[in-house]
């Protein structure tokens, strides 16, 4: 007797939906009744209720495949194949036909085989699959889209069509279906539509001669509240207005740091005796020691230091306490009397000794009215910057492992409470080796970034501590070009070079926070022509040190070569490497998204040995060190001048980080530590400055976190519609979101759109469809009311790029590119 399979698919309005092969039921009794109606006795009904995520479904599928391969009994084998195809449907994968079991086996109603592929022409690639289905005792050709969203009956001559390739009809099968017009694209008379619809199941319906999956038929949906919060910029220079913001309780475990070079004044307003800014969303603030200690708590402190300075000072303290040799190793070899020495000899130190060095760096704080450094800051934020130490091998490994054991010591020495931010060290070696040649990478080369061998921070010290690492992607080198044309046009049409739009290639001014900034068409001469003598450390810049040739390239003057100078790492002496900042703007946006998403994958692997990023880590976390002005003198921009990045860049950096899974943000800018602060209106760092950039930062944090106030980030699900690196190569939309309690909070941005250019985007949340339009290369934040109980794969984003490439992606990013795309 045949057995019947059922499974729990979802819960809706308190009613458990159960699937019986291709039919839906709301109870076991209903499923059994239907089975009885099919002539299957209740005693032989097998109901299996499962509710699995995609990884578990993949495991189930593997087990089923093994059973199928070892089973020869016809009816039971057919049942297993049906079961596997139901799992394929849940995973949004095409059905897999049962392989023939050998001569003499009888075919049953609904048996099918994939027998060919169909393509429009040699340029488009395979666009349809051709199947044959056994119905009413005959084999009927049917063509299907690659995602199985649509099926259509076909004439027998479709298998003779010049568009049909890779034909493989099982031995012994004869197709007698009549020929039809257009090489078989018309359906034949007598096609058993009702039989076929029954085989496909209740997920499909017949519409205009095509069998369409119902989930692909748009249903109306309306977005909820959307956009950035209303906020006020400060009026005039040298002033802040934090009370103009609403209150915000930052979700547990998250940090928002107003860091080094940030804006704060002695007369900042108080709420409940504490600094008002601490109740508006800033969790940690630099220069708190300039306030009376009653106005803040130790957990609100923020500090940072260079790694080499911390190691040198800790070694001196250990020696003073008699901790040298033996279990500690050669601590004395570190001590040179120069606390700024970067060539530190740590080769003879034990792992326990490095742990102890870290324990001698537990932060404490003082205040303007208490200079004793006895304020407990073990729950504060401390950022370690390591970009300078000389790499060495030692008993614990390399420099990276040394840092890990040091951080372990700091964390354990604080009672496992300190929030340690690691800056300057990437978690993946792939970034620095490969990112600059990104546009020529293949899928396989991109996926090579997401292998265990590429991930750093995986030594015992790192694994024993809790820490945050700064997301790759670097500071902005170019201001955000909001409402600015970025492409060259002739007669209103884009200039196309090598199949791509040509970027606008000229110098022009823009206004940011009322200040004029200049966008450059090529690097400043001091960047083009920069040389360095690595022996002496001397550097020279500008046209006087080079000979410029007719083709525009340059060579270092012979006198400097003989003196030991060579090209500086930032030098760009060859015109072929020059790019206008309109181009660098687009690249910079993608690099930030790439760094955030790639590091999310790496961190997930470190903590869970898994390449999925839809839920948060609890131990190895991501933060973003953002500078609200451009980083000058660096690759990725053309200027030697520091410029405002603008509010749109600040919003993008913050939204992309937090919506993708980041747990902390931090600002850094030019400035210095201050023991005394002026009142509002005074110069904070020796010159007039406008602090609108920090108002924009707080507004971006409030935009995301205010709707999630009082919730636990560990309960959020992150939806990712952007695949790192591959998305940049293909000019795709950048999008990440947080799904929680029936809401999807989503970032949408396409940096490749021209100013004013519209792009239609379709968002699917289960069966609900939202049709959105974004305009220009601007930052969009939307909140959608969506069903509860959805998985990341139930969210889809569809659109066409500026180069005509159709994109459909699901909300799950792993180490497999193809699993993200559904095209």
């Amino acid at each position: 007797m045949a057995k019947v399979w059922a499974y729990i698919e979802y819960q809706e309005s308190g009613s458990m939906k159960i699937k019986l092969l291709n039919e839906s039921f709301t109870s076991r009794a209903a499923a059994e009744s239907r089975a009885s109606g099919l002539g299957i006795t209740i005693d032989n009904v097998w109901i299996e209720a499962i509710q699995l995520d995609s990884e578990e479904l993949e495991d189930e599928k593997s087990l089923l495949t093994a059973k199928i391969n070892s089973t020869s009994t016809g009816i039971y084998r057919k049942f297993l194949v049906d079961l596997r195809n139901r799992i394929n449907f849940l995973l949004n994968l095409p059905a897999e036909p049962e392989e023939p079991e050998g001569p003499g086996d009888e075919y049953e109603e609904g048996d099918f085989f994939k027998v060919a592929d169909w393509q429009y022409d040699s340029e488009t690639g395979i666009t349809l699959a051709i199947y044959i289905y056994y119905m009413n005792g005959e084999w009927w050709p049917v063509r299907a889209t690659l995602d199985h969203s649509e099926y259509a009956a076909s004439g027998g001559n479709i298998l003779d069509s010049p568009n049909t390739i890779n034909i493989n009809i099982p031995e012994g099968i004869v197709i007698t279906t009549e020929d039809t017009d257009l090489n078989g694209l018309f359906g034949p008379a007598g096609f058993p539509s009702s039989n076929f619809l029954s085989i496909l199941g209740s997920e499909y319906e017949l519409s205009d001669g095509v069998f369409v999956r119902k989930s692909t038929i748009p249903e109306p949906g309306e977005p909820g509240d959307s956009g950035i919060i209303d906020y006020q910029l400060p009026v005039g220079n040298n002033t802040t207005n934090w009370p103009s913001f609403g209150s915000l309780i930052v979700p547990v475990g998250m940090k928002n740091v107003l860091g080094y070079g940030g804006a704060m004044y002695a007369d900042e307003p108080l709420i409940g005796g504490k600094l008002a800014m601490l109740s508006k969303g800033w969790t940690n603030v630099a220069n708190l020691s300039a306030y009376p200690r009653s106005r803040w708590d130790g957990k609100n402190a923020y500090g940072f230091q260079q790694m080499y300075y911390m190691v040198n000072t800790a070694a001196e303290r250990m020696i003073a306490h008699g901790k040298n040799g033996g279990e500690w190793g050669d601590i004395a070899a570190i001590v040179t009397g120069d606390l700024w020495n970067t060539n530190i000899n740590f080769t003879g130190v034990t792992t326990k000794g490095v742990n102890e060095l870290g324990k001698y760096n537990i932060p404490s704080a003082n205040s303007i009215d208490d200079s004793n450094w006895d304020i407990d800051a073990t729950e504060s934020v401390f950022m370690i910057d390591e970009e300078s130490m000389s790499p060495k091998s030692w008993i614990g490994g390399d420099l990276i492992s040394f840092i890990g054991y040091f951080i372990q010591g700091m964390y354990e020495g604080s009672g496992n409470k300190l929030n340690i931010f690691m800056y300057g060290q990437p978690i993946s070696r792939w970034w620095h080796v490969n990112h600059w040649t990104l546009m020529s990478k293949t899928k396989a080369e991109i996926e090579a970034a997401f292998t265990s061998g590429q991930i750093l921070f995986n030594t015992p010290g790192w694994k024993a501590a809790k820490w945050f690492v700064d997301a790759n992607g670097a500071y902005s080198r170019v201001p955000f070009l909001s409402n600015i044309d970025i492409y060259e046009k002739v007669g209103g049409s884009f200039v196309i070079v090598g199949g791509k739009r040509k970027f606008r290639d000229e110098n022009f001014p823009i206004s940011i926070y009322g200040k004029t900034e200049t966008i450059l068409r090529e690097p400043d001469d001091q960047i083009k022509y920069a040389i360095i003598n690595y022996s002496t450390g001397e550097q020279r810049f500008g046209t006087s040190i080079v000979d410029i040739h007719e083709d525009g390239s340059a060579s270092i003057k012979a006198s400097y070569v003989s003196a030991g100078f060579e090209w500086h790492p930032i030098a760009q002496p060859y015109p072929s490497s020059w790019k206008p900042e309109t181009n660098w703007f687009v690249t910079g946006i993608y690099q930030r998204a790439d760094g955030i998403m790639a590091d999310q994958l790496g961190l997930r692997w470190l903590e869970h040995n898994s390449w999925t990023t839809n839920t948060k880590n609890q131990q190895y976390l991501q933060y973003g060190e953002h500078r609200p002005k451009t980083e000058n003198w660096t690759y990725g921009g053309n200027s030697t001048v520091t410029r405002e990045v603008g509010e749109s860049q600040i919003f993008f950096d913050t939204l992309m980080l937090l919506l993708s899974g980041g747990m902390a943000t931090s600002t850094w800018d030019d400035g210095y530590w201050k023991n005394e602060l002026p009142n509002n209106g005074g110069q904070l760092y020796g010159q007039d400055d406008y602090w609108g950039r920090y108002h924009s930062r707080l507004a971006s944090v409030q935009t995301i976190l205010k709707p999630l106030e009082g919730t636990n980030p560990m309960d959020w699900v992150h939806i990712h519609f952007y695949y790192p690196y591959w998305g940049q190569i293909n000019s795709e939309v950048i999008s990440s979101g947080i799904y929680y309690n029936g809401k999807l909070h989503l970032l949408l941005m396409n940096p490749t759109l021209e100013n004013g250019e519209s792009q239609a985007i379709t968002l699917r949340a289960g069966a609900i469809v939202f049709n959105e339009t974004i305009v220009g290369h601007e930052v969009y934040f939307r909140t959608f009311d969506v069903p509860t109980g959805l998985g990341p794969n139930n969210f889809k984003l569809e659109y066409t790029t500026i180069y005509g490439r159709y994109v459909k992606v699901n909300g799950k990013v792993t180490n497999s590119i193809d699993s993200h795309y559904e095209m």
Side-chain angles (χ1 to χ4, degrees):
M1 298 291 289
K3 293 184 178 180
V4 178
W5 172 62
Y7 67 90
I8 298 172
E9 188 176 46
Y10 57 91
Q11 196 166 12
E12 182 177 88
S13 303
S15 175
M16 196 69 73
K17 293 285 189 178
I18 296 180
K19 288 286 187 176
L20 173 62
L21 294 183
N22 291 319
E23 299 183 48
S24 297
F25 301 91
T26 56
S27 69
R28 180 189 179 99
E32 292 177 336
S33 175
R34 173 62 171 148
S36 178
L38 292 173
I40 304 170
T41 61
I42 292 178
D43 289 340
N44 288 295
V45 172
W46 175 32
I47 305 289
E48 181 181 19
I50 56 175
Q51 190 169 18
L52 304 177
D53 62 26
S54 59
E55 291 181 1
E56 292 169 319
L57 285 171
E58 289 284 4
D59 292 338
E60 285 289 316
K61 180 180 171 182
S62 297
L63 292 173
L64 282 168
T65 299
K67 289 181 181 179
I68 291 167
N69 292 338
S70 62
T71 301
S72 60
T73 304
I75 190 67
Y76 182 61
R77 195 173 194 276
K78 177 66 169 62
F79 158 73
L80 293 175
V81 172
D82 283 342
L83 190 56
R84 182 173 64 183
N85 284 336
R86 297 306 304 154
I87 290 179
N88 278 333
F89 178 81
L90 283 180
L91 293 169
N92 292 305
L93 296 173
E96 298 175 52
E98 179 186 3
E99 296 297 328
E101 300 165 24
D105 291 328
E106 294 184 0
Y107 295 108
E108 298 182 358
E109 185 79 3
D111 282 350
F112 62 92
F113 298 98
K114 179 185 175 186
V115 294
D117 295 306
W118 191 94
Q119 62 180 11
Y120 182 73
D121 57 41
S122 59
E123 299 297 323
T124 60
I126 295 170
T127 55
L128 298 172
I130 298 177
Y131 292 85
I132 53 173
Y133 276 79
Y134 191 72
M135 296 179 288
N136 290 344
E138 298 181 50
W139 290 100
W140 299 85
V142 173
R143 61 188 186 277
T145 57
L146 298 184
D147 64 357
H148 284 230
S149 61
E150 296 183 5
Y151 290 81
S154 303
N157 53 332
I158 196 169
L159 294 169
D160 301 320
S161 167
N163 303 96
T164 301
I165 60 174
N166 304 327
I167 300 173
N168 183 22
I169 300 173
E171 185 178 355
I173 287 182
V174 178
I175 299 169
T176 59
T177 308
E178 65 178 343
D179 295 344
T180 61
D181 291 341
L182 294 181
N183 289 320
L185 292 181
F186 277 74
F191 182 83
S193 296
S194 59
N195 299 52
F196 189 58
L197 194 59
S198 176
I199 292 167
L200 291 177
S202 59
E203 292 83 11
Y204 290 84
E205 67 179 16
L206 184 58
S207 177
D208 294 327
V210 178
F211 300 87
V212 183
R213 186 187 294 161
K214 292 177 182 178
S215 61
T216 67
I217 300 173
E219 297 181 15
E222 293 295 332
D225 296 334
S226 61
I228 307 300
I229 66 165
D230 292 329
Y231 74 103
Q232 299 177 22
L233 289 169
V235 179
N237 290 334
N238 309 322
T239 186
T240 60
N241 186 11
W242 306 125
S244 67
F245 289 86
S247 63
L248 173 64
I249 301 174
V250 174
V252 61
M254 301 191 75
K255 300 296 177 185
N256 179 37
V257 179
L258 180 60
Y260 190 75
M264 67 288 294
Y265 286 94
D267 58 350
E268 292 288 350
L270 306 179
I271 295 179
K274 302 292 185 181
L275 292 170
M277 67 175 73
L278 297 175
S279 67
K280 305 299 182 178
W282 297 114
T283 61
N284 299 81
V285 178
N287 293 325
L288 283 181
S289 61
Y291 295 100
R293 67 179 300 173
S294 64
R295 298 184 185 179
W296 52 282
D297 298 319
K299 67 181 181 180
N300 302 126
Y302 165 78
F304 89 86
Q305 189 51 269
Q306 301 288 337
M307 178 78 181
Y308 58 82
Y309 182 86
M310 298 169 71
V311 173
N312 287 324
T313 55
E316 288 192 353
R317 293 170 186 163
M318 286 184 66
I319 294 295
H321 287 87
K323 295 181 177 180
N324 182 53
E327 60 182 334
W328 316 110
D330 192 1
I331 301 295
I334 295 176
V335 179
T336 64
D338 178 10
L339 297 180
W340 304 101
N341 174 41
T342 60
N343 187 20
I344 298 172
N345 183 8
F346 57 83
T347 57
V349 182
T350 65
T351 57
K352 184 174 182 180
V354 182
N355 282 159
E356 195 70 10
L357 288 169
K359 292 177 181 178
Y360 273 80
N361 278 277
I362 308 305
S364 59
N366 68 350
S367 63
I368 196 170
D369 58 349
D370 184 350
S371 60
N372 292 324
W373 290 94
D374 59 356
I375 300 175
D376 182 0
T378 54
E379 294 183 61
S380 67
V381 169
F382 195 93
M383 189 264 275
I384 301 173
D385 184 0
E386 170 33 41
E387 304 172 79
S388 307
M389 284 179 63
S390 301
K392 289 180 171 59
S393 296
W394 63 299
I395 192 172
D398 57 8
L399 175 59
I400 294 291
S401 63
F402 178 89
I403 298 170
Y405 283 107
F406 186 91
I407 284 178
Q408 178 190 4
M410 286 188 71
Y411 183 64
E412 293 176 350
S414 72
N416 298 343
K417 295 182 289 186
L418 187 61
N419 297 283
I420 302 172
F421 286 14
M422 184 69 230
Y423 177 83
Q425 292 294 323
I427 68 162
S428 170
R429 57 173 52 92
W430 192 91
W431 174 272
H432 289 305
V433 174
N434 293 283
H435 194 74
W436 311 120
T437 59
L438 174 65
M439 302 308 286
S440 63
K441 298 297 180 189
T442 64
K443 276 186 184 181
E445 289 173 316
I446 298 297
E447 289 176 340
F450 311 122
T451 54
S452 59
Q454 294 294 330
I455 307 302
L456 305 171
F457 296 10
N458 56 1
T459 49
W462 288 103
K463 291 188 174 182
K466 179 180 179 179
W467 38 265
F468 300 72
V469 65
D470 179 37
N472 264 313
Y475 298 135
S476 298
R477 273 64 175 226
V478 179
F480 195 100
L481 301 182
S482 183
N483 299 311
I484 299 293
D485 288 358
I486 62 173
Y487 295 111
E488 187 173 321
K489 304 183 190 74
V490 174
S493 299
F494 294 111
V495 176
I496 305 298
V497 177
K500 300 289 186 179
R501 295 179 181 180
K502 185 176 186 293
F503 285 96
R504 182 179 175 186
D505 190 9
E506 62 180 333
N507 295 342
F508 58 89
I510 63 172
S511 178
I512 301 178
Y513 298 127
K515 180 181 179 181
T516 299
E517 306 286 10
T518 302
I519 305 303
L520 302 177
R521 66 182 298 268
E522 61 185 41
D524 185 280
D525 284 348
Q526 295 187 83
I527 295 176
K528 290 178 185 174
Y529 315 121
I531 59 176
I532 185 171
N533 186 320
Y534 284 104
S535 298
T536 64
E538 294 177 272
Q539 302 177 75
R540 299 286 188 272
F541 307 91
T543 57
S544 64
I545 60 176
V546 298
D547 293 318
I548 300 177
H549 309 299
E550 289 185 8
D551 64 357
S553 64
S555 57
I556 305 171
K557 287 184 179 295
S559 58
Y560 285 101
V561 174
S562 61
F565 283 87
E566 54 188 285
W567 288 119
H568 195 288
I570 70 167
Q572 297 186 54
Y574 308 110
S576 59
S577 68
W578 301 347
K579 298 200 301 189
E581 287 192 318
T582 48
N583 190 337
W584 282 126
F585 159 70
V586 174
T587 300
I589 294 292
Y590 276 121
Q591 286 181 349
R592 171 57 74 179
D594 290 340
I596 289 171
M597 285 301 302
D599 283 4
Q600 280 289 327
L601 284 164
L603 288 166
R604 193 67 178 173
W605 180 85
L606 277 176
E607 186 160 321
H608 296 279
N609 197 28
S610 167
W611 295 102
T612 59
T613 60
N614 297 104
T615 56
K616 288 187 180 295
N617 281 1
Q618 299 190 50
Q619 185 175 355
Y620 313 140
L621 308 173
Q622 185 180 66
Y623 90 102
E625 192 71 51
H626 294 157
R627 187 180 189 188
K629 290 189 289 189
T630 62
E631 186 82 341
N632 55 342
W633 289 95
T634 52
Y635 187 77
N638 292 338
S639 182
T640 60
V641 177
T642 300
R643 298 166 287 180
E644 297 278 1
V645 300
E647 69 174 351
S648 291
Q649 184 69 54
I650 292 168
F651 277 111
F652 176 75
D653 288 346
T654 309
L655 269 64
M656 184 64 194
L657 179 86
L658 296 183
L659 293 171
S660 297
M663 283 290 285
T665 68
S666 180
T667 68
W668 179 88
D669 202 356
D670 294 330
Y672 41 86
W673 295 112
K674 296 182 69 71
N675 293 321
E676 295 184 6
L677 296 171
N679 287 332
N680 263 277
Q683 291 183 344
L684 190 53
Y685 299 112
Q687 62 183 10
D688 289 336
D689 207 337
Y690 181 69
W691 302 118
R693 63 186 84 105
Y694 294 107
H695 276 228
S696 298
R697 162 49 64 83
L698 185 56
S700 63
V701 171
Q702 285 211 355
T703 294
I704 302 169
L705 297 186
K706 187 62 179 178
L708 295 161
E709 193 173 35
T711 67
N712 187 338
M714 299 303 156
D715 296 331
W716 304 345
V717 175
H718 290 276
I719 304 301
H720 301 302
F721 291 128
Y722 176 78
Y723 200 96
Y725 310 129
W726 193 247
Q728 180 181 169
I729 291 171
N730 291 290
S731 304
E732 294 180 8
V733 170
I734 298 170
S735 182
S736 280
I738 292 173
Y739 170 49
Y740 178 76
N741 196 29
K743 302 283 186 182
L744 176 63
H745 309 282
L746 191 68
L747 163 72
L748 291 164
M749 186 197 177
N750 186 347
T752 69
L753 289 178
E754 177 60 299
N755 178 37
E757 182 178 9
S758 296
Q759 181 172 41
I761 292 177
T762 299
L763 168 68
R764 300 182 187 274
I768 306 300
V769 177
F770 302 91
N771 295 310
E772 286 288 301
T773 299
I774 60 175
V775 180
H777 43 269
E778 307 298 334
V779 179
Y780 287 81
F781 178 74
R782 295 285 185 263
T783 297
F784 300 91
D785 292 316
V786 299
T788 58
L790 299 178
N793 281 331
N794 297 127
F795 291 92
K796 321 286 182 184
L797 201 71
E798 300 175 53
Y799 56 90
T800 301
T801 71
I802 62 171
Y803 297 113
R805 179 173 173 265
Y806 169 71
V807 175
K808 181 181 180 182
V809 292
N810 59 52
K812 185 174 183 178
V813 167
T814 67
N815 60 334
S816 167
I817 292 176
D818 286 342
S819 68
H820 181 57
Y821 290 82
E822 301 188 358
M823 313 181 311

